Amino acid sequence: MKPMNLMKFVDQLPLMNTAKPERKSKKESYYEIGMEEFYQKLHRDLQPTRLWGYNRQFPGPIIDVNQGECTQVKWTNNLPNTHFLPVDRSIHHVAHQPEVRTVVHLHGSETRPSSDGYPEAWFTRGFKEVGPSFERKIYEYPNHQRGSTLWYHDHAMGITRLNVYAGLAGMYIIRDGKENSLNIPKGDYEIPLMIMDRSFNEDGSLFYPDKPNNPSKNLPNPSITPAFLGDTILVNGKVWPYLEVEPRKYRFRLLNASNTRAYQLYLDSGQSFHQIGSDGGLLQKSVHLKKFAIEPAERVDFILDFSKYKGKTITLKNDLGPNANPDDNTGEVMQFKVSLPLQGEDKTVIPKYLSHIPSLEQNNEVKTIRNLKLTGSTDKYGRPLLLLNNKAWSAPVTEKPGLGSTETWSFINITGFTHPIHIHLIQFQALDRRPFDLDLYNQDGQIVYTGPAIRPKANERGWKDTIAAPSAQITRVIARFGPYTGNYVWHCHILEHEDYDMMRPFTVINPKELDDK
Ligand code: C2O
Ligand code: CU
Ligand code: CU
């Protein structure tokens, strides 16, 4: 595949639409959102691209709610019965199932299992078929949690990478009173940004590989690939767009919605990002950064101050980090043109102190510690098969935290690269990362540390639901499991890994109920 030579910064950044509820009161809102196939122009010089999107939009509409407003969404599938991307039938969960299945997960949300988008709770067009032992259901999001930037995306077993790549992703914002009371940029000056990479064919259609780069013989056709890096960067559904801004402060809620690609972002003006929030909402204190890394599914909420850059053009750049490829174009993301006249004085501030984050580590509760290995093996076709604790998705549940209990999960990465690990239902706190000798581990299975445990970076010291677990390190997180019991999942958020087979169920159990039986 030769990359398309698309001109950069010729299209304006689209601002995502906000979804309109069918009904809304102070306490409740009700939405109907359908998945459809449609065509959309993603670049000035590209023909319209076939996409699958929520309400015929790519990205999907923003669901914007207040804390405590119970939101119901009727998600419907109006998609064709055949996929336009290569479905690998050799993945065991996929073999005998309908080709196009969908289920929506609200990433980062504290939701009952029946509304969480369990990968096997998929449904087909018009709810004709529903995953075995699941029912058709209107999903309910209590929105009890603190203000945060969440996102919703497809999570169907074994084809999540294809459904999300086709366009099934959108943002979800919860607002709370504390955050609203801060004097930070709001309204037109608060802009969500969804970054993703794609590749295109000459005719404007999406390109997604139907086999790995170095295919061995006798691979299934099509075959899943262990990673996917697109050669083109899109923001809010446009290729390398620009945004015209006033010389003042703006707030950006940035999400990495790419399948595999991690970014390290910086501005060519040399100015700082003032990060105010992470996955689970506001940090305790704002953090000033010249550069930050963002793994798939992570969110970084930051303020940029353009007041000293009137007339200037600033490029948001990516220094490629772990996904470096010298002959590609992905070192640039988008541009800010400080070309609009200032509409009234900018009275907003970048607060030093933002919110209180109680430490879970210091709460003196008895804590279960789970050692969870991120492991690699090979399947019968010679393809890499990444696993959690050497177990496939279908193995019986091994993680059963008690309702309301606090647990430490240690992700021991014995593979050669970083995995962004995500846990459903809860927001966790990062404790530390500690390096160990991987060669030694591979020889005799012993963990020998090569350095002290290192505290998470300043911008990771808030609530998180996804965290980078680097190779040859033990990454520890702590969480309280609740407020619901039932079946959830945890997984690597590289979608090519999650689909095969780096995802595991976990069950929150109620110890009292166990006693009763
Ligand atoms: Cu964003 Cu289980 O995923
Ligand atoms: Cu999730
Ligand atoms: Cu992974």
Side-chain angles (χ1 to χ4, degrees):
M1 253 285 298
K2 61 168 196 307
M4 297 267 307
N5 272 316
L6 292 168
M7 262 248 253
K8 288 179 179 158
F9 319 125
V10 295
D11 289 285
Q12 211 166 347
L13 176 87
L15 302 177
M16 293 181 234
N17 290 316
T18 301
K20 298 224 163 37
E22 305 289 313
R23 295 193 294 276
K24 186 177 169 88
S25 68
K26 254 200 141 168
K27 288 245 159 81
E28 284 174 353
S29 49
Y30 172 72
Y31 294 80
E32 288 181 358
I33 297 182
M35 299 163 223
E36 319 250 348
E37 178 171 295
F38 63 104
Y39 286 77
Q40 186 171 306
K41 248 179 109 63
L42 306 184
H43 182 272
R44 185 190 69 184
D45 303 327
L46 262 190
Q47 281 175 48
T49 302
R50 180 196 335 201
L51 298 164
W52 288 359
Y54 298 102
N55 280 359
R56 305 180 76 84
Q57 289 169 45
F58 171 65
I62 300 172
I63 300 178
D64 197 325
V65 301
N66 291 317
Q67 186 183 43
E69 163 189 339
C70 178
T71 299
Q72 295 190 323
V73 185
K74 184 180 182 185
W75 301 101
T76 54
N77 172 340
N78 309 319
L79 296 168
N81 288 320
T82 50
H83 217 296
F84 71 92
L85 295 171
V87 174
D88 180 343
R89 290 267 174 193
S90 74
I91 300 178
H92 54 277
H93 330 290
V94 173
H96 307 292
Q97 294 179 347
E99 187 168 305
V100 176
R101 294 164 284 119
T102 58
V103 62
V104 187
H105 168 57
L106 177 53
H107 180 122
S109 121
E110 210 174 275
T111 303
R112 283 188 182 77
S114 53
S115 293
D116 191 52
Y118 200 70
E120 289 171 346
W122 49 261
F123 47 91
T124 61
R125 183 186 175 94
F127 294 103
K128 264 200 144 162
E129 285 183 74
V130 181
S133 71
F134 290 91
E135 297 165 48
R136 163 185 190 162
K137 224 189 144 276
I138 291 174
Y139 276 19
E140 189 172 278
Y141 306 110
N143 303 319
H144 285 313
Q145 66 202 94
R146 68 209 293 268
S148 45
T149 307
L150 310 181
W151 65 300
Y152 59 93
H153 61 79
D154 194 75
H155 215 306
M157 197 73 222
I159 53 168
T160 294
R161 70 192 182 291
L162 305 175
N163 287 353
V164 172
Y165 194 76
L168 292 169
M171 286 177 112
Y172 189 106
I173 295 173
I174 302 178
R175 300 179 188 275
D176 69 29
K178 273 234 175 97
E179 188 184 321
N180 287 342
S181 70
L182 292 178
N183 182 22
I184 53 179
K186 295 185 171 87
D188 292 344
Y189 305 107
E190 178 199 314
I191 299 179
L193 298 174
M194 188 190 287
I195 300 190
M196 48 180 81
D197 59 341
R198 293 289 183 272
S199 292
F200 295 96
N201 299 307
E202 293 284 338
D203 65 358
S205 59
L206 287 177
F207 169 82
Y208 189 89
D210 61 2
K211 54 178 158 328
N213 265 339
N214 309 305
S216 61
K217 272 183 231 145
N218 306 321
L219 274 189
N221 181 20
S223 168
I224 190 168
T225 86
F228 169 80
L229 296 175
D231 56 30
T232 306
I233 308 295
L234 288 81
V235 187
N236 294 358
K238 278 284 183 198
V239 172
W240 288 304
Y242 68 85
L243 175 68
E244 290 183 289
V245 294
E246 297 174 26
R248 56 158 292 148
K249 292 183 224 59
Y250 282 76
R251 174 186 187 179
F252 296 98
R253 299 173 183 259
L254 184 136
L255 157 70
N256 177 3
S258 308
N259 281 31
T260 294
R261 185 180 290 280
Y263 300 78
Q264 290 193 53
L265 300 175
Y266 67 100
L267 295 152
D268 70 349
S269 55
Q271 77 196 94
S272 295
F273 303 94
H274 305 276
Q275 186 172 343
I276 57 169
S278 56
D279 305 339
L282 291 176
L283 298 169
Q284 186 140 323
K285 285 187 245 151
S286 53
V287 180
H288 310 305
L289 303 152
K290 290 272 184 223
K291 184 192 272 190
F292 64 84
I294 184 164
E295 292 284 329
E298 284 189 301
R299 284 87 70 207
V300 172
D301 191 343
F302 60 86
I303 294 173
L304 285 185
D305 187 353
F306 298 114
S307 59
K308 294 201 187 83
Y309 295 90
K310 203 171 158 194
K312 296 267 179 345
T313 295
I314 299 161
T315 307
L316 179 64
K317 293 200 155 210
N318 170 26
D319 83 354
L320 300 169
N323 302 139
N325 177 356
D327 43 50
D328 77 12
N329 278 317
T330 56
E332 286 173 313
V333 176
M334 67 173 287
Q335 262 179 359
F336 300 100
K337 298 187 188 194
V338 194
S339 54
L340 298 177
L342 185 64
Q343 307 283 326
E345 196 189 334
D346 177 9
K347 295 202 175 105
T348 64
V349 297
I350 303 170
K352 250 208 179 113
Y353 176 84
L354 295 158
S355 71
H356 176 59
I357 297 185
S359 161
L360 285 180
E361 198 186 14
Q362 285 155 18
N363 73 358
N364 291 322
E365 279 177 34
V366 184
K367 292 167 186 79
T368 303
I369 295 168
R370 296 184 193 273
N371 290 314
L372 303 159
K373 283 180 187 143
L374 318 182
T375 56
S377 64
T378 312
D379 74 2
K380 65 175 180 198
Y381 304 104
R383 299 180 293 190
L385 172 60
L386 292 153
L387 298 170
L388 298 171
N389 248 353
N390 277 318
K391 288 198 168 61
W393 162 259
S394 49
V397 181
T398 39
E399 281 67 59
K400 298 179 183 167
L403 178 64
S405 69
T406 303
E407 298 202 349
T408 299
W409 289 25
S410 296
F411 305 119
I412 307 166
N413 187 346
I414 58 171
T415 73
F417 31 85
T418 299
H419 299 276
I421 300 296
H422 169 51
I423 308 175
H424 284 215
L425 175 67
I426 49 94
Q427 292 286 334
F428 54 71
Q429 289 172 2
L431 289 174
D432 50 33
R433 294 190 178 90
R434 190 161 189 193
F436 63 92
D437 189 323
L438 186 52
D439 290 332
L440 219 59
Y441 178 87
N442 286 332
Q443 283 162 29
D444 61 9
Q446 293 260 58
I447 298 273
V448 176
Y449 292 114
T450 55
I454 295 164
R455 282 194 72 194
K457 289 174 265 173
N459 66 335
E460 291 179 319
R461 292 180 204 162
W463 293 105
K464 297 278 297 162
D465 55 47
T466 307
I467 188 137
S471 170
Q473 294 186 31
I474 297 182
T475 302
R476 295 195 312 141
V477 303
I478 188 166
R480 183 182 285 121
F481 286 82
Y484 307 115
T485 56
N487 297 328
Y488 295 92
V489 302
W490 66 285
H491 57 89
C492 173
H493 219 289
I494 291 178
L495 302 181
E496 284 71 18
H497 295 178
E498 162 179 356
D499 274 346
Y500 191 56
D501 211 32
M502 215 172 187
M503 177 164 73
R504 288 282 296 150
F506 76 90
T507 306
V508 180
I509 54 168
N510 188 340
K512 287 205 196 89
E513 277 169 24
L514 284 184
D515 292 345
D516 292 347
K517 271 173 201 158

